[in-house]
Amino acid sequence: MNKPIDSAMLAASTAQVGVGRAHESAHLHVAGEAAYIDDLPELAGTLHCALGLSPVAHGRLVGIALDTLRALPGVVAVLTAADIPGVNDCGSIVKDDPILAPIVRQDDGSWTSELRYLGQPVFAVIAHTREAARRAAAKAKAVLQIEPLPAVIAPLEAHAQGQYVLPPMHLQRGDARAAIAAAPHRLKERFEVGGQEQFYLEGQISYAIPGEDGGMRVHCSTQHPSEMQHLVAHALGLHAHHVQVECRRMGGGFGGKESQSALFACVAAVAARRLGRPVKLRLDRDDDFLITGRRHCFWYEAEVGYDDAGRVLGAEITMVSRAGHSADLSGPVMTRALCHFDNAYWLPDVAMHGFCAKTNTQSNTAFRGFGGPQGAIAIERILDSIARALGKDALDVRRINFYGQGQSTPYGQKVEDNVIHELVAELEATSDYRVRRAEVAAFNATSPVLKRGLALTPVKFGISFNVKHFNQAGALVHVYSDGSILVNHGGTEMGQGLNTKVAQVVAHELGVPFERVRVTATDTHKVANTSATAASTGSDLNGKAAQDAARQIRERLAACAAQLFGGTAAAVRFGAGQVEVNGIALPFAELVTRAYHERVQLWSDGFYATPGLSWDRDTLQGRPFYYFAYGAAVSEVLVDTLSGEWKLLRADVLHDVGRSLNPAIDIGQVEGAFIQGMGWLTMEELVWHPRSGMLMTHSPSTYKIPTANDCPADFRVRLFENDNAEDSIHRSKAVGEPPLLLPFSVFFAIRDAISAVGAHRVDPPLSAPATGEAILRAVEAVRKAA
């Protein structure tokens, strides 16, 4: 029934964004009812697949005893590269990444295959049960005939040999060598940071179901359904429209499922096509470690010139990453590392050189931050060392190097939204940094064994894909005749709350309660040609696309309401599940029903492309980022100089997410990123055997990630009040990757504590991860030098 409108009530109840809401699947997670791919009911006749892996880092495969495998109990088929009907490649950018080890026919009719890393998939076993498939695949070493070849395991060895997956990159401004030579002080450093395993709780998995007329439906745990669609189609020798890829949710991704889910989707689909039956391929954790890549480890050689205040006058740095056996995403990762070397600092004369070393190891890939953390930590290390050389507080040296308004990055983008000065000043005050610095010094003066350390580090992080055409998104919004709303968009949900934020945006746009909106599985048959959910752009891109679709429906409903009840469409207001039109109010659902009877279109597609971006990948110049996100953190640690053990006592974080879409989710993302980044820098150590190339840390028993016990008891996270200067979705800012750089403060607080052993006169030779052993080595070096 129509009734007079209470405008105050309507306005007060309208906002669906900017409020903290639980994750849309939280109740399902808590109840154990959130379905992942392995939870889907298996269709009758489903077979299971396991991969036979190369036992050598480099070799020539000259034979496989396939009949031995086929005769094993439960085995249905054994497939090699020769059984792939289409293209045997799943490379994301450069086509240099075979699905299965490629077989090359010789002139005499024999064949050979190059094995490029220990763990490379050589064949696929398909069996009635997963256990039978795994048992057969585990016999790889016994059935493979291999001629070993010399392997290059260390990235510096590959660098020395000029062995790269891509040509070197160079980004420079001014004359760095001249500026360094003319500077009052100079610093040379060599250091390194390790890689990091994504360690998603749900491992890699694909479930391929053959359909009619050559069709293939693939349930895949992936951040990039469209890329999986295209690569599966290529592997099957089909068109993209034959392949449907669907992903309701992932149990974590962190970049590890952006490109590297492709191999498993392709193998499952090839097997399903060959056998005409559904095939599931789910890796166990050890195989996941051995097959897939992770965050690139980096090695650095830097030289800088600086003045008496610590201001950097010139800098030159060489970065060498461990790319692995193929290019994968190593190129854009290195590009982002070069573009983030400046972090929050003006570098007037700078020269950067990036080398993606080709090694006989897993092909490294995307990981939260995508090279940004590896680039930014280098300048932080340099400034930390400059401060120690000058006897100054590191915060003062950092601050004097901050960007000013309107200054440009080395790649030519103006820093027009700079809030780092205000943000750091606020954090310095609220964290009592100066008082605590004095307290730390007093404690260390009377404590010969236990040493405290304190550090404040800033973050400036660019948001957008550094490939321009990836910065687009689409969405579909359906309003049903009962007033309920279904949304589909091109992003993927991996626990980060993307679907929650998109649902909030649509609810806000249509003026309905959040509970009326449901977001469905990402599906390439619904929204086509999507970009990966990566580069922290999930909410920016898909939120805008969904908003565009919902706005079109709202405008149609407003026109219908004005036609039915008088007034103008522009004056119609939506909010709190009600519609105000010409002085009366009616329920949203009632207007929808009437609009349906009036034959008004109640669904719409939406599209968004990020404006103002440009990038020349040859010159490494342009405007690759729509905006920058800022943040800072203060960490205080306690280090035992006899054992190398340490503890994070307190962390204060202030992070810029613009006008937050959902403060509860954003704070959770900041907290999670902080702990994950802390793990990378302090405990997550990857070790390859120097001769065999075996990844020795290939399971939870040998690879340590942070736990609840590693979180500080005093953890203070706040969001900085700051609307985005750009027209992002409701003036918010991305929150996925930037806060991973905040725990730089933990690493440099540990370095500060070690420095106290030598009364801060010796620069600790500490590289990341700062494990207990690394800390002890650095402590001993400082003691000897002091």
Side-chain angles (χ1 to χ4, degrees):
M1 180 181 295
N2 301 341
K3 60 181 181 180
I5 186 70
D6 183 343
S7 297
M9 179 274 294
L10 184 70
S13 306
T14 292
Q16 295 295 331
V17 296
V19 295
R21 286 193 175 277
H23 190 286
E24 48 92 26
S25 294
H27 62 292
L28 300 176
H29 292 308
V30 171
E33 296 176 358
Y36 297 87
I37 292 173
D38 203 35
D39 299 317
L40 299 177
E42 294 178 5
L43 298 177
T46 293
L47 299 173
H48 296 265
C49 182
L51 298 171
L53 310 181
S54 168
V56 300
H58 196 201
R60 185 177 293 109
L61 179 65
V62 296
I64 311 177
L66 295 179
D67 291 340
T68 301
L69 296 174
R70 289 169 179 148
L72 293 173
V75 173
V76 175
V78 181
L79 306 180
T80 67
D83 298 299
I84 298 175
V87 180
N88 180 27
D89 192 278
C90 57
S92 181
I93 300 174
V94 180
K95 300 305 176 185
D96 65 344
D97 205 343
I99 299 168
L100 296 175
I103 293 175
V104 180
R105 295 290 177 185
Q106 305 297 310
D107 293 338
D108 61 2
S110 64
W111 57 268
T112 185
S113 177
E114 182 190 9
L115 304 180
R116 308 200 305 204
Y117 70 100
L118 196 157
Q120 179 178 3
V122 180
F123 60 86
V125 177
I126 297 88
H128 290 293
T129 66
R130 182 169 178 267
E131 182 67 18
R134 291 184 64 212
R135 286 184 178 277
K139 296 184 179 297
K141 191 171 184 179
V143 301
L144 298 179
Q145 300 170 30
I146 301 170
E147 295 178 359
L149 295 172
V152 175
I153 306 302
L156 285 186
E157 182 183 357
H159 181 49
Q161 296 179 12
Q163 185 171 299
Y164 310 114
V165 296
L166 295 163
M169 303 177 191
H170 304 282
L171 171 57
Q172 60 187 37
R173 172 171 60 194
D175 189 338
R177 295 310 313 166
I180 293 170
H185 306 282
R186 294 169 69 175
L187 171 73
K188 282 187 176 182
E189 287 208 306
R190 290 184 178 182
F191 52 96
E192 59 188 307
V193 297
Q196 184 179 23
E197 166 63 33
Q198 289 91 356
F199 217 108
Y200 25 67
L201 292 183
E202 176 201 34
Q204 298 279 3
I205 181 170
S206 287
Y207 185 26
I209 304 167
E212 66 179 25
D213 198 23
M216 184 66 64
R217 184 180 187 185
V218 183
H219 294 277
C220 182
S221 184
T222 180
Q223 297 171 236
H224 202 342
S226 283
E227 184 172 281
M228 301 307 105
Q229 177 192 30
H230 297 151
L231 292 173
V232 167
H234 294 159
L236 296 178
L238 299 173
H239 295 296
H241 68 221
H242 287 103
V243 179
Q244 177 184 9
V245 176
E246 183 176 328
C247 178
R248 171 61 184 94
R249 60 172 61 86
M250 287 168 277
F254 307 115
K257 295 176 181 176
E258 180 175 347
S259 63
Q260 298 216 342
S261 45
L263 187 151
F264 314 104
C266 289
V267 170
V270 167
R273 170 87 179 275
R274 178 72 176 251
L275 301 172
R277 294 169 65 176
V279 174
K280 181 189 286 188
L281 171 51
R282 174 170 67 87
L283 295 186
D284 74 352
R285 186 64 66 178
D286 290 79
D287 285 352
D288 201 320
F289 265 81
L290 289 175
I291 296 171
T292 63
R294 43 201 58 84
R295 185 188 298 281
H296 297 67
C297 62
F298 269 57
W299 175 89
Y300 310 86
E301 184 173 35
E303 185 174 7
V304 296
Y306 59 96
D307 63 16
D308 293 340
R311 188 179 290 104
V312 174
L313 304 176
E316 183 167 19
I317 187 165
T318 295
M319 305 184 190
V320 180
S321 71
R322 182 199 296 270
H325 73 96
S326 67
D328 196 83
L329 297 173
S330 294
V333 165
M334 180 57 76
T335 300
R336 189 171 280 264
L338 296 174
C339 288
H340 281 76
F341 172 63
D342 62 324
N343 194 19
Y345 310 109
W346 163 249
L347 303 176
D349 291 271
V350 60
M352 294 172 272
H353 316 286
F355 300 87
C356 302
K358 184 175 184 178
T359 57
N360 293 115
T361 56
Q362 297 82 1
S363 190
N364 284 327
T365 189
F367 195 123
R368 194 176 194 175
F370 202 76
Q374 292 100 309
I377 197 170
I379 191 65
E380 294 297 340
R381 163 81 179 233
I382 289 166
L383 294 177
D384 192 62
S385 297
I386 288 174
R388 194 165 287 107
L390 293 174
K392 294 179 177 291
D393 189 293
L395 175 57
D396 296 330
V397 171
R398 288 185 167 99
R399 179 176 272 128
I400 203 171
N401 283 285
F402 281 165
Y403 272 107
Q405 291 294 342
Q407 289 180 322
S408 296
T409 65
Y411 46 89
Q413 178 168 347
K414 279 191 175 182
V415 184
E416 298 174 313
D417 59 350
N418 190 9
V419 296
I420 197 64
H421 295 269
E422 302 91 324
L423 190 150
V424 168
E426 181 177 331
L427 180 64
E428 180 186 2
T430 58
S431 67
D432 295 321
Y433 175 82
R434 298 294 175 179
V435 172
R436 291 165 63 197
R437 169 59 72 196
E439 292 173 348
V440 165
F443 175 88
N444 289 338
T446 59
S447 178
V449 174
L450 299 179
K451 297 293 185 181
R452 287 189 177 183
L454 186 71
L456 188 158
T457 58
V459 173
K460 175 183 72 66
F461 196 93
I463 303 298
S464 289
F465 287 99
N466 46 12
V467 176
K468 180 182 175 181
H469 67 264
F470 288 166
N471 295 284
Q472 60 176 299
L476 281 174
V477 174
H478 298 318
V479 177
Y480 293 98
S481 58
D482 66 350
S484 62
I485 300 157
L486 191 71
V487 180
N488 189 270
H489 59 86
T492 53
E493 175 63 54
M494 62 194 91
Q496 82 280 36
L498 172 59
N499 285 347
T500 309
K501 289 184 174 181
V502 171
Q504 287 180 268
V505 167
V506 172
H508 185 86
E509 197 69 19
L510 293 175
V512 299
F514 175 80
E515 293 72 22
R516 283 202 181 223
V517 182
R518 181 182 179 92
V519 181
T520 64
T522 311
D523 188 336
T524 57
H525 273 23
K526 293 181 180 178
V527 178
N529 307 319
T530 60
S531 297
T533 305
S536 303
T537 61
S539 297
D540 282 8
L541 296 177
N542 297 287
K544 276 284 194 179
Q547 182 187 48
D548 179 42
R551 176 188 51 77
Q552 295 176 54
I553 297 171
R554 190 194 74 230
E555 289 174 351
R556 294 184 199 127
L557 288 173
C560 179
Q563 179 184 345
L564 292 173
F565 300 101
T568 64
V572 177
R573 295 290 179 265
F574 294 76
Q578 302 285 312
V579 181
E580 177 190 1
V581 51
N582 200 24
I584 62 172
L586 69 158
F588 177 82
E590 182 180 333
L591 176 59
V592 167
T593 300
R594 294 200 178 201
Y596 170 70
H597 290 149
E598 295 294 325
R599 297 184 297 179
V600 173
Q601 181 181 334
L602 294 174
W603 63 270
S604 186
D605 62 318
F607 181 76
Y608 177 72
T610 310
L613 302 181
S614 65
W615 183 245
D616 186 325
R617 65 180 182 180
D618 295 322
T619 63
L620 301 185
Q621 293 292 306
R623 186 176 187 252
F625 305 122
Y626 189 34
Y627 59 84
F628 295 103
Y630 299 86
V634 177
S635 292
E636 184 175 350
V637 301
L638 182 66
V639 173
D640 186 333
T641 60
L642 294 182
S643 68
E645 292 182 277
W646 67 278
K647 185 178 181 65
L648 177 57
L649 301 175
R650 173 178 164 184
D652 295 69
V653 172
L654 183 60
H655 195 68
D656 165 33
V657 298
R659 189 188 301 170
S660 175
L661 292 173
N662 186 322
I665 283 179
D666 286 345
I667 287 175
Q669 284 289 289
V670 173
E671 292 172 342
F674 187 94
I675 299 301
Q676 188 172 50
M678 182 182 76
W680 165 51
L681 293 172
T682 62
M683 63 187 71
E684 298 186 43
E685 186 173 28
L686 293 162
V687 179
W688 282 265
H689 193 284
R691 292 184 298 278
S692 72
M694 175 69 175
L695 178 63
M696 308 302 291
T697 50
H698 58 83
S699 70
S701 64
T702 52
Y703 185 82
K704 176 172 172 49
I705 64 172
T707 69
N709 291 331
D710 297 301
C711 299
D714 194 349
F715 197 8
R716 311 181 188 192
V717 176
R718 294 188 300 113
L719 301 180
F720 184 65
E721 294 188 11
N722 173 47
D723 287 2
N724 196 339
E726 298 292 347
D727 183 25
S728 61
I729 183 68
H730 290 286
R731 298 289 175 171
S732 64
K733 287 190 178 184
V735 70
E737 294 174 299
L740 191 132
L741 285 68
L742 294 169
F744 286 1
S745 58
V746 176
F747 178 80
F748 290 106
I750 293 173
R751 205 164 182 250
D752 182 56
I754 297 171
S755 176
V757 173
H760 301 293
R761 294 190 300 270
V762 179
D763 207 38
L766 182 69
S767 286
T771 61
E773 296 88 344
I775 289 172
L776 281 180
R777 287 193 295 268
V779 167
E780 185 61 24
V782 169
R783 281 194 178 122
K784 286 182 178 179

